Amino acid sequence: MSVRSNSRSGPRAGFTLVEVLLAVTILSLVMVGVYGIWSASLKAWKRGGEATEVFQRQRVVMETLTQLAQSAVYFGASPELYAIIGAKTPGLGDSVSFVTASDAFLPPSEGNDIGMRRVTISLERDDYQRTYLAIVNQPALTVKDNSKQELQAHVVSMDVSGFFVRYLNPRDGDWNEKWEDPNVIPSAMEFTVVFGQPGDQIPSVTVTRAVDLPVAD
């Protein structure tokens, strides 16, 4: 009498060590991939947000410069008070001074100057030698009385490394780098602002805008 042996094995008790290690490896690879995608998306979102914020600040600066220039005031009877003065500062760039009726960049502490004031816009350096765009306000009709006083410079933007101005000569239609004639005002002013500082993550951006001066008409 022969005896048949049953070669069928019973149900498996669990996963082998190799299978567990393989599953853990696959799961780790998936998690690394998901984290990489999430991290890249987060960085792109942050860069997009930073770029949008920088663009908005640039737009505000250019719009304000435009508003100040378009509100320029000039009376030929008193050219010494209303002259537009454009100069260059060695190592910094350009500066421009003119009388305006705009109250843009006028702090509450200088509210008495509202109506008409002389503004001087230029590039300055802070205590750490970082450049910034600055504005100085003074009463329009008392320039001589205030010439010996120390005027306070207000920050327009800390994110500016270059500021240049050109002036459209109404006599010959040429653009001049400086303006020193108190008896004539330019037909337009062209502002060029370099936004960004050396070492910033976002590359520098140069914005140029020409502004017609209604007072010249």
Side-chain angles (χ1 to χ4, degrees), residues 118-137:
R118 174 167 288 275
V119 296
T120 301
I121 306 168
S122 62
L123 205 64
E124 303 293 339
R125 294 187 185 274
D126 61 15
D127 295 338
Y128 300 97
Q129 297 303 302
R130 181 183 174 98
T131 58
Y132 65 95
L133 188 62
I135 185 171
V136 173
N137 305 300

Side-chain angles (χ1 to χ4, degrees), residues 43-202:
K43 290 180 180 178
W45 177 79
K46 291 179 64 177
R47 285 196 299 268
E50 291 173 354
T52 300
E53 184 179 349
V54 169
F55 173 77
Q56 291 294 338
R57 292 200 300 265
Q58 295 171 0
R59 184 184 64 82
V60 169
V61 171
M62 299 308 296
E63 289 294 337
T64 305
L65 290 175
T66 299
Q67 179 182 341
L68 288 170
Q70 289 180 337
S71 301
V73 178
Y74 180 82
F75 294 105
S78 303
E80 70 281 0
L81 293 178
Y82 296 95
I84 293 178
I85 304 171
K88 292 184 175 295
T89 303
L92 280 177
D94 297 349
S95 67
V96 58
S97 177
F98 56 91
V99 175
T100 181
S102 170
D103 60 355
F105 288 128
L106 180 64
S109 60
E110 299 176 5
N112 292 333
D113 296 339
I114 193 169
M116 281 197 303
R117 58 179 168 138
R118 174 167 288 275
V119 296
T120 301
I121 306 168
S122 62
L123 205 64
E124 303 293 339
R125 294 187 185 274
D126 61 15
D127 295 338
Y128 300 97
Q129 297 303 302
R130 181 183 174 98
T131 58
Y132 65 95
L133 188 62
I135 185 171
V136 173
N137 305 300
Q138 60 187 122
L141 303 181
T142 55
V143 175
K144 291 183 179 180
D145 294 339
N146 286 272
S147 60
K148 296 182 180 180
Q149 297 181 6
E150 184 177 352
L151 301 174
Q152 182 178 1
H154 303 283
V155 175
V156 175
S157 174
M158 291 296 300
D159 189 37
V160 173
S161 58
F163 178 66
F164 309 96
V165 188
R166 296 199 305 167
Y167 310 86
L168 184 60
N169 194 323
R171 296 189 178 114
D172 54 20
D174 291 338
W175 286 98
N176 297 345
E177 300 294 330
K178 296 192 298 183
W179 194 263
E180 299 174 335
D181 190 344
N183 299 306
V184 180
I185 61 172
S187 301
M189 288 193 289
E190 181 190 76
F191 299 105
T192 297
V193 183
V194 182
F195 293 96
Q197 297 284 353
D200 288 351
Q201 293 184 350
I202 299 178

